[in-house]
Amino acid sequence: AEATFFLICDLRSYLASPSWEAERGLWRRFLDEANVNLTPGEACRINEPGFFRLCYASESGDSVAEAIARLGRLLASC
């Protein structure tokens, strides 16, 4: 990374409900269906469900682009 290590993604609109349980469910879908692990906001002490941390510090640009493409396909199906 040249400037930052991660970014915060606002994915509240993809939650089934505005709850920590729904955030955990979406996180599980990322893992199971897209094979991408974002850090749920709850684990980062963000005070509202639906925010996820995407850390790219040790990944190549191609890997990050692939992960984002996988997430995009999954979210398009929601």
Side-chain angles (χ1 to χ4, degrees):
E2 294 181 24
T4 62
F5 299 104
F6 65 88
L7 57 91
I8 299 296
C9 305
D10 179 357
L11 301 175
R12 290 176 291 176
S13 64
Y14 294 97
L15 296 180
S17 66
S19 67
W20 298 116
E21 182 178 347
E23 182 181 86
R24 287 188 294 272
L26 185 56
W27 169 73
R28 193 76 234 173
R29 287 191 68 194
F30 293 155
L31 286 174
D32 293 343
E33 298 175 35
N35 199 30
V36 174
N37 189 13
L38 300 181
T39 305
E42 183 178 26
C44 302
R45 296 193 171 118
I46 295 175
N47 63 359
E48 183 178 351
F51 291 89
F52 292 82
R53 184 173 69 181
L54 186 156
C55 182
Y56 56 87
S58 65
E59 298 298 327
S60 70
D62 290 342
S63 294
V64 174
E66 176 61 26
I68 291 171
R70 289 182 196 175
L71 291 171
R73 287 190 295 272
L74 185 145
L75 293 172
S77 72
C78 290

